[in-house]
């Protein structure tokens, strides 16, 4: 049901003029009367944002911490959604930030309370954030652990007994299982190999039920950047297959922490071939009553797949600080890729005959056919696309060949930003010294509006920054350890990658450190870790993805330790960006690092009453090359301990 506008629409002036009048009333009259502080920076941003909505354009809205930028874009998005009759999509950097936006003390609840509005906001989480009933059944049958049986027993009754569901019932969300580590969750979570369309449990699946629920939102749909980009890349194919797109058609789109959209786009646009998954699926297929000709073809595919991945593993070069290993298209790789493609095409033809014999489980056959289609497309890209970027990953899920057709700017420009709707980028760090070129070029945005407003906080009085020189990593870990102990916790330690975090974790284990509780990203579901950290002041949180978006005001977070400057790795994706730049350091490496550094620094002071410290470590060679740029991008002068 369509929601009423928050103001009465008259015929004497346009909607946009009346929208601006209402925004003025909210900030000048209504919010101050409810005890909210009137901020010049917030009001400036509010009136600049009207131009993006009235002209249906992209706007880069850079606003410092404490300006209240979230409140501004929410007011516009809600009013415009009700005017157009379509919900606004609010895309956050990751799944944990979705939860922060809708928490009880968040800005959406503040608007409801202050303006007496009832806002229809619904969460659209990524598919891998939901329990897969098929995989749960498989995990129970293959595992001796009791945890999966417990999850099964706790499922709502209608899942087991096929009874009717009288109203929407949310279940199966990743955050409902905070005690599971990431590996345990992967065993039962949805993944891209699941054929939801033919699944017999589809209509009782928590993911399906939630998707039906959020598609009916009238005001706001909140999702992650990853899920929004997955929606963009799969929209056309889903429509061709007779399915609805993952997200509803929006009135406007807001990218909160918009400087991170590039990475979600890259993730969504990649094609992945796993050595273990193909072997697993084909070995399971061999257990069925299939023809001898098909069995021989399966064995040939498995053998060629093994040969290709053995060669890839030999020639792939590790890249420090990245999971992406460098690969070159050698003649040997291309020969094996062509042979494998030829055999998989032959197997796909054989499976058409097998399907007519009805000797293979239909659900299992659909999964194999869909995965073979993915591999055929991916190998074709590998062989034919000279501009494509390839790399190799070797992790807990096996060896993976990854192919990305090209850098994402051109595709985003054509698929997303050509649409005539308002696109709002919101972040404290969208530019480098007021220049938005790096972000606009990366995302393929040629025509845009922009604004920059500083934070209203008096950082000189509230924040102390110390820059240290890293001469020895062990000494650095010891210094951080002593500092967090002296501070009695209340500390976030930020690492540039998970390997540095693992090294610090090993150091603490070797030291048998027990003075304070220390929790690590990856050991449990991330929003649960954040809740633990916020609830207990004498605690330390170590993370590598929480450089942005983490909003913990008050005494729970008073110290941030930045273990190293967050330069991008020299992996295939960033190397491709570097190769397209005139000056790779000035156009790629430095802007990326400075934007991320400013985000990390912004984790401490979240309200006008907060105080805190920042500690940053520079390598000795960085002091000469980058210290001057770091100085320019810090909110207060730093103290130097070298």
């Amino acid at each position: 049901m369509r929601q009423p506008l928050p103001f009465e629409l008259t015929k004497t002036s346009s909607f946009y003029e009346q929208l601006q009048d209402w925004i003025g009333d909210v900030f000048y009259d209504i919010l101050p009367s409810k005890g909210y502080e009137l901020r010049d920076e917030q009001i400036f941003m509010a009136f600049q944002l009207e131009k993006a909505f009235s002209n249906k354009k992209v706007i880069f809205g850079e606003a410092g911490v404490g300006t209240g930028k979230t409140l501004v874009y929410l007011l516009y998005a809600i009013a415009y959604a009700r005017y157009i009759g379509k919900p606004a999509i609010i895309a956050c950097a990751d799944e944990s930030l979705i939860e922060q936006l809708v928490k009880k003390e968040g800005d959406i609840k503040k608007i409801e309370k202050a303006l007496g509005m009832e806002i229809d906001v619904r969460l659209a989480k990524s598919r891998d954030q939901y329990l897969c009933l098929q995989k749960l059944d498989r995990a129970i049958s293959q595992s001796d652990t009791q945890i999966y049986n417990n999850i099964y027993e706790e499922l709502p009754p209608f899942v087991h007994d096929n009874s009717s569901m009288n109203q929407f019932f949310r279940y199966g969300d990743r955050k409902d299982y905070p005690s599971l580590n990431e590996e345990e969750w992967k065993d039962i979570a949805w993944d891209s190999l699941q054929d939801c369309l033919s699944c017999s449990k589809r209509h009782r699946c928590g993911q399906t039920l939630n998707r039906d629920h959020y598609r009916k939102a009238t005001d706001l749909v909140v999702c992650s950047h990853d899920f929004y980009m997955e929606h963009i890349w799969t929209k056309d194919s889903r429509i061709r297959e007779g399915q609805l797109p993952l997200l509803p058609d929006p009135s406007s789109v807001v990218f909160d922490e918009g400087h991170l959209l590039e990475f979600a786009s890259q993730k969504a646009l990649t094609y992945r071939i796993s050595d273990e998954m193909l072997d697993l699926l084909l070995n399971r297929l061999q257990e069925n009553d299939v023809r001898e000709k098909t069995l021989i073809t399966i064995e040939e595919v498995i053998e060629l797949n093994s040969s290709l991945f053995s060669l890839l593993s030999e020639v792939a070069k590790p890249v420090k600080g990245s999971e992406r290993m460098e690969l070159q298209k050698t003649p040997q790789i291309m020969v094996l890729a062509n042979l494998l493609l030829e055999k998989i095409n032959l197997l796909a033809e054989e499976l058409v005959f097998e399907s007519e014999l009805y000797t293979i489980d239909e659900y299992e056959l659909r999964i194999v056919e869909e995965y073979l289609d993915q591999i055929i497309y991916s190998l074709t890209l590998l062989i034919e696309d000279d501009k494509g970027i390839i790399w190799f990953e070797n992790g807990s899920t096996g060896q993976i060949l990854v192919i990305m057709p090209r850098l994402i700017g051109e595709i985003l420009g054509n698929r997303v930003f050509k649409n005539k709707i308002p696109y709002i980028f919101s972040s404290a760090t969208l530019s480098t010294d007021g220049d938005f070129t790096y972000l606009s070029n990366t995302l393929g945005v040629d025509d845009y509006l922009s604004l920059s407003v500083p934070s209203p906080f008096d950082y000189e009085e509230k924040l102390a920054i110390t820059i240290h020189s890293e001469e020895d990593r062990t000494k650095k870990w010891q210094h951080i350890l002593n500092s967090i102990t002296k501070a009695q916790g209340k500390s976030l330690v930020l690492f540039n990658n998970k390997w540095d975090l693992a090294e610090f974790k090993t150091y603490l284990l070797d030291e048998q450190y027990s003075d304070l509780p220390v929790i690590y990203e990856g050991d449990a579901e991330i929003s649960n870790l954040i809740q633990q950290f916020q609830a207990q002041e004498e605690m330390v949180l170590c993370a590598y993805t929480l450089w942005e978006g983490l909003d913990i005001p008050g005494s729970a977070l008073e110290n941030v330790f930045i273990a190293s400057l967050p330069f991008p790795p020299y992996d295939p994706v960033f190397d491709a960006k570097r190769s397209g730049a005139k000056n790779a350091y000035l156009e790629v490496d430095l802007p990326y690092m400075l934007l991320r550094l400013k985000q990390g620094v912004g984790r401490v002071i979240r309200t006008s009453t907060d105080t805190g410290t920042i500690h940053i470590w520079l390598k000795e060679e960085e002091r000469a090359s980058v210290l001057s740029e770091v100085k320019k991008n810090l909110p207060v002068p730093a103290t130097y301990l070298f």
Side-chain angles (χ1 to χ4, degrees):
M1 182 177 177
R2 192 163 177 170
Q3 298 274 63
L5 284 168
F7 53 88
E8 186 177 349
L9 196 60
T10 66
K11 296 181 179 180
T12 56
S13 56
S14 72
F15 164 76
Y16 300 102
E17 291 172 319
Q18 293 175 70
L19 172 62
Q20 198 167 40
D21 289 341
W22 176 69
I23 291 291
D25 290 341
V26 169
F27 284 110
Y28 284 116
D29 298 325
I30 300 174
L31 292 182
S33 71
K34 303 288 185 179
Y36 287 86
E37 180 183 355
L38 189 65
R39 300 171 183 166
D40 293 338
E41 297 85 359
Q42 189 179 43
I43 292 171
F44 174 79
M45 180 181 179
F47 287 111
Q48 291 296 307
L49 221 57
E50 186 274 333
K51 298 175 184 177
F53 280 86
S54 60
N55 295 306
K56 300 178 178 62
K57 295 188 71 171
V58 175
I59 186 169
F60 294 125
E62 182 177 61
V65 176
T67 52
K69 52 186 174 290
T70 306
L71 201 63
V72 173
Y73 72 61
L74 284 174
L75 288 170
Y76 272 102
I78 293 164
Y80 193 69
R82 295 185 178 189
Y83 174 65
I84 298 295
K86 298 177 180 178
I89 291 177
I90 312 295
C92 301
D94 56 42
E95 302 295 334
S96 65
L97 299 183
I98 292 176
E99 299 290 345
Q100 291 199 53
L101 190 61
V102 298
K103 62 186 179 182
K104 291 181 180 179
E105 62 273 23
D107 286 316
I108 293 175
K109 292 298 181 184
K110 289 178 183 176
I111 292 174
E112 286 186 322
K113 186 175 180 180
L115 304 185
M117 295 174 64
E118 186 174 332
I119 300 171
D120 182 14
V121 54
R122 307 189 188 191
L123 301 188
K125 292 196 171 185
S126 297
R127 294 190 279 180
D128 60 6
Q129 295 295 303
Y130 285 96
L131 173 72
C132 172
L133 296 174
Q134 295 278 6
K135 288 182 69 176
L136 177 61
D137 286 347
R138 198 175 307 137
I140 290 171
S141 66
Q142 296 175 354
S143 174
D144 295 331
T145 180
Q146 184 63 28
I147 56 173
Y148 300 131
N149 286 293
N150 293 340
I151 291 171
Y152 181 84
E153 290 167 4
E154 292 169 2
L155 293 174
F158 67 83
V159 177
H160 300 303
D161 59 19
N162 291 326
S163 60
S164 61
M165 185 181 67
N166 296 322
Q167 62 183 19
F168 171 69
F169 188 93
R170 185 191 66 79
Y171 84 93
D173 190 327
R174 169 67 175 103
K175 76 168 190 173
D176 295 335
Y177 312 103
S179 62
L180 296 185
N181 62 36
E182 290 306 309
E183 293 306 314
E184 291 168 338
W185 173 247
K186 285 179 183 177
D187 285 343
I188 59 172
W190 179 92
D191 62 50
S192 59
L193 294 177
Q194 304 314 306
D195 182 19
C196 299
L197 202 58
S198 64
C199 178
S200 60
K201 302 175 185 289
R202 181 169 182 257
H203 297 294
R204 309 211 168 254
C205 167
Q207 180 187 164
T208 302
L209 296 174
N210 190 69
R211 193 177 301 162
D212 291 342
H213 178 66
Y214 72 65
R215 281 186 178 133
K216 298 170 185 173
T218 54
D219 288 331
L220 303 173
V221 175
V222 185
C223 66
S224 66
H225 290 179
D226 283 352
F227 193 56
Y228 178 80
M229 295 316 306
E230 185 181 357
H231 157 72
I232 293 297
W233 304 139
T234 61
K235 182 178 179 180
D236 292 343
S237 62
R238 289 181 67 87
I239 291 172
R240 283 196 301 270
E241 294 169 1
Q243 301 182 69
L244 289 173
L246 292 175
L247 290 168
D249 194 23
S251 55
S252 64
V253 180
V254 177
F255 299 110
D256 195 49
E257 304 296 349
H259 63 287
L260 295 175
L261 184 64
E262 173 192 4
F263 307 105
S265 305
Q266 290 172 346
K267 183 177 177 181
L269 194 55
T270 55
Y271 299 88
R272 307 169 72 84
I273 304 175
S274 164
D275 66 330
E276 288 187 357
M277 190 54 65
L278 183 60
D279 281 0
L280 174 66
L281 292 176
L282 294 184
N283 283 324
R284 277 177 25 200
L285 205 60
Q286 286 179 309
E287 296 172 2
N288 291 270
D289 185 18
V290 296
R291 295 172 304 139
E292 184 178 355
K293 185 178 180 181
T294 303
L295 282 174
I296 292 172
T297 306
I298 288 173
E299 289 171 358
E300 290 173 339
V301 169
I302 291 174
E303 184 177 348
L304 280 170
N305 182 63
S306 177
S307 298
L308 176 61
F309 273 91
S310 293
L311 179 59
L312 293 174
S313 182
E314 288 176 14
V315 302
K317 297 179 181 178
V319 176
K320 185 178 180 180
S322 175
E323 292 181 335
R324 301 166 180 153
M325 300 172 71
E326 184 181 342
L327 270 182
Q328 299 294 330
K329 291 184 182 180
T330 65
Q332 298 96 321
I333 289 175
M334 301 311 290
V335 167
L336 281 174
N338 274 288
L339 288 172
L340 181 59
L341 177 60
E342 181 183 333
K343 284 297 178 184
I344 290 177
N345 274 314
L346 179 60
L347 178 58
E349 293 174 7
E350 296 293 337
L351 292 179
V352 173
F353 289 105
E354 297 293 344
S355 66
E356 295 172 354
L357 299 175
Y358 301 101
T359 57
I360 304 175
D361 178 77
E362 182 184 359
Y363 180 79
E364 191 170 296
L365 182 61
R366 283 287 296 270
I367 289 178
V368 173
E369 287 177 333
E370 287 200 5
Y371 192 64
L372 291 181
D373 286 343
Q374 290 178 34
I375 295 179
I376 289 169
Y377 183 75
S378 301
L379 287 173
T380 303
L381 274 179
L382 174 68
I383 294 165
E384 298 179 0
D385 189 353
D386 293 334
K387 297 179 182 179
I389 305 166
I390 64 170
W391 66 88
F392 189 71
E393 295 179 5
N394 196 355
S396 58
T397 56
Q399 297 176 332
I400 300 173
L401 172 64
V402 189
I403 303 127
M404 191 166 75
R406 62 183 68 84
L407 295 178
I408 52 90
E410 178 185 343
I411 299 174
L412 275 177
N414 291 328
R415 289 276 194 100
V416 180
F417 300 117
K418 72 175 183 179
N419 299 319
K420 290 293 291 181
I421 64 172
Y423 288 99
I424 315 301
F425 285 80
S426 173
S427 175
T429 53
L430 294 174
S431 73
T432 304
D433 289 336
D435 184 355
F436 296 89
T437 304
Y438 173 75
L439 189 62
S440 62
N441 287 346
T442 297
L443 299 176
V445 180
D446 298 322
D447 183 23
Y448 60 88
L449 305 171
S450 65
L451 66 93
S452 290
V453 292
S455 170
F457 297 154
D458 184 0
Y459 283 107
E460 296 277 357
E461 295 291 327
K462 299 180 175 299
L463 183 63
I465 299 179
T466 304
I467 297 181
H468 308 262
S469 178
E470 177 190 332
E471 298 174 358
D472 178 87
R473 287 178 75 83
T474 302
K475 290 181 180 178
K476 177 173 72 173
W477 301 145
Q478 183 62 56
H479 194 164
I480 293 175
L481 186 59
N482 292 340
S483 299
I484 60 179
T485 304
K486 184 178 179 181
Q488 296 182 311
K490 310 173 188 178
S491 300
L492 170 69
V493 187
L494 288 172
F495 299 89
N496 198 17
N497 53 65
K498 65 180 182 181
W499 294 275
D500 287 352
L501 182 149
E503 184 180 330
F504 181 68
K505 182 179 181 180
T506 300
Y507 174 79
L508 264 63
L509 290 172
D510 291 343
E511 292 290 311
Q512 297 182 333
Y513 182 76
S514 59
D515 292 8
L516 294 167
V518 182
I519 53 178
Y520 303 90
E521 181 175 353
D523 284 357
E525 194 269 329
I526 188 65
S527 63
N528 181 257
L529 290 175
I530 293 170
Q531 289 174 6
Q532 286 184 51
F533 179 65
Q534 192 166 9
Q536 185 175 342
E537 285 190 4
E538 293 185 357
M539 182 173 278
V540 179
L541 172 60
C542 297
Y544 55 92
T545 66
L546 296 179
W547 289 80
E548 52 276 310
L550 183 68
D551 186 14
I552 301 181
S555 57
L557 176 52
E558 293 184 349
N559 312 282
V560 170
F561 297 87
I562 296 175
S564 60
L565 293 180
F567 279 105
Y570 282 86
D571 67 12
V573 171
F574 279 101
D575 281 347
K577 293 186 69 173
R578 293 181 181 102
S579 67
K582 292 181 180 179
N583 187 315
Y585 177 74
L586 294 179
E587 296 176 35
V588 179
D589 295 303
L590 187 62
Y592 174 93
M593 183 277 289
L594 292 175
L595 287 175
R596 201 159 172 82
L597 177 65
K598 288 196 289 184
Q599 282 287 340
V601 170
R603 294 315 96 211
V604 178
I605 308 299
R606 307 303 298 175
T607 71
S608 59
T609 59
D610 288 348
T611 59
T613 68
I614 303 283
H615 294 265
I616 305 170
W617 272 263
L618 272 65
K619 296 175 182 175
E620 194 165 355
E621 62 269 22
E622 292 171 342
R623 285 162 51 186
S625 62
V626 80
L627 181 57
S628 60
E629 292 295 333
V630 170
K631 286 181 181 178
K632 288 193 296 184
N633 285 273
L634 296 177
V636 297
T639 300
Y640 304 95
L641 296 183
F642 46 75

